[in-house]
Amino acid sequence: MNKLRAIPFILSLLLLLTGCSTRTITIERTDEVMGTIMTLTLCGSSREEASLNNAMDAAFLRLRELEQIFSTTIDDSEINNLNQTAAQTPVAVSDEMFEVLTDALYYAELTDGAFDPTLGRLIALWNIGSATPSVPTDDVLTQEIGRHNYRHIQLDADAQTVTFTSADFSLDLGAIAKGYAADELEDLLTTEYGVKQAILNLGGNVLVIGSKSGNTPWNIGITDPQAPPEAMALVKVSDCSVVTSGDYQRYFESSEGVRYHHILDAATGYPADQGITSVTIITASSMRADALSTALFVLGVEKGLALIESLEDVEAVFISSNNDITLSPGLNTDNFSRLY
Ligand code: AMP
Ligand code: MG
């Protein structure tokens, strides 16, 4: 999502989250990290103000560390180093990279490659979200399809190394890294700073810690893909992640007026086109929600629902191009409401 579009989106989301309860203070900070606008809102008692400020500093420092590992737009990032060398020799990687790659391979297998961490070259060809996006020719796309394959990534858990068994692809972890970052922040804030109430909004990738107050859950808005940043539905959650992949988050329009979004279907090389405009996943782990939201956008409603029903404690909200909403079985009037 570009910066200008992201700011109203985040503001509207936060307006819906009617803040922490009255006896607490709220500290909020917004910055651009990993190419997206991130807003952290921490709540606590007024006695905890200094500790909350320290927690906020530590959280943004951690985000910068993770950006240096996972961002493909930072020249000397760990992922770029891996992309340059792992086809020639096994590369020793950080704990973070090893953990994310392990999970990425799991979700690639689970979704039959709908989520595929090896689409880096295809993503770079489209370059959506950059200043210079373009529509690749069919010839180029045809050549590109078949080069990527998550099975070309080999992990050695003992040596904590990564090897690519082909030089014809590159890694892109943009569909999972923000989720991992949200889980990391939750761990840092709760275990090291004792934070009990927070909303971590990493560019639409939301993780809430605790409840709004007592037993009252937080209300998280789901954006209307036809009218962002308007929220068209609310989910009620406590200690949970709510992660959306949508065609309105990053896109560009060609000179012919055709709109192309950033979630690619590895089978065609084009943006996924299953008649849906957003998929929201609701589950405890933000990394799980992130990988699944991208995968389900590619799989579509029917296959996506079948997959969700095979998993425990994961719910999904699909919004279709005509604004129909399809819910997974665990969502009902107790925890979900459509606003219009
Ligand atoms: P998300 O916003 O989490 O759905 O992730 C979208 C981002 O993940 C894109 O900007 C790309 O960097 C990358 N991506 C696009 N399509 C896929 C895909 N099918 N599988 C994995 N990553 C993808
Ligand atoms: Mg994702």
Side-chain angles (χ1 to χ4, degrees), residues 113-117 119 123 172 174-176 178 244-245 249-250 262-266 290 293-294 298:
F115 165 87
D116 188 329
L119 298 185
I123 290 162
D172 181 295
I176 192 168
K178 277 189 286 163
T244 300
S245 289
Q249 291 171 333
R250 252 176 225 240
H262 69 309
I263 303 169
L264 302 176
D265 184 337
D290 198 359
S293 67
T294 309
V298 175

Side-chain angles (χ1 to χ4, degrees), residues 39-56:
T39 298
L40 308 185
T41 310
L42 310 183
C43 308
S45 74
S46 41
R47 277 178 291 116
E48 293 167 322
E49 188 167 355
S51 153
L52 287 179
N53 277 315
N54 291 340
M56 187 68 97

Side-chain angles (χ1 to χ4, degrees), residues 196-210:
K196 294 191 177 57
Q197 265 188 308
I199 302 162
L200 315 179
N201 184 352
L202 311 192
N205 196 315
V206 177
L207 184 152
V208 299
I209 296 174

Side-chain angles (χ1 to χ4, degrees), residues 80-96:
N80 281 344
N81 176 43
L82 199 52
N83 277 334
Q84 276 152 24
T85 42
Q88 290 105 52
T89 178
V91 179
V93 296
S94 61
D95 293 350
E96 292 90 338

Side-chain angles (χ1 to χ4, degrees), residues 112-223:
D112 206 13
F115 165 87
D116 188 329
T118 60
L119 298 185
R121 286 176 48 138
L122 189 62
I123 290 162
L125 278 175
W126 286 91
N127 222 354
I128 295 172
S130 78
T132 52
S134 66
V135 184
T137 64
D138 282 340
D139 281 352
V140 169
L141 287 179
T142 310
Q143 278 175 27
E144 202 48 52
I145 298 170
R147 285 188 166 156
H148 59 82
N149 187 335
Y150 62 90
R151 295 189 179 89
H152 291 320
I153 301 175
Q154 275 185 357
L155 303 182
D156 179 334
D158 293 329
Q160 199 165 296
T161 56
V162 178
T163 310
F164 295 172
T165 58
S166 155
D168 270 352
F169 75 92
S170 71
L171 278 180
D172 181 295
L173 296 168
I176 192 168
K178 277 189 286 163
Y180 175 74
D183 290 334
E184 283 291 291
L185 292 193
E186 178 190 26
D187 188 41
L188 173 79
L189 293 170
T190 57
T191 59
E192 289 187 33
Y193 294 89
V195 172
K196 294 191 177 57
Q197 265 188 308
I199 302 162
L200 315 179
N201 184 352
L202 311 192
N205 196 315
V206 177
L207 184 152
V208 299
I209 296 174
S211 307
K212 191 173 138 197
S213 63
N215 289 331
T216 311
W218 302 101
N219 278 319
I220 304 295
I222 297 181
T223 300

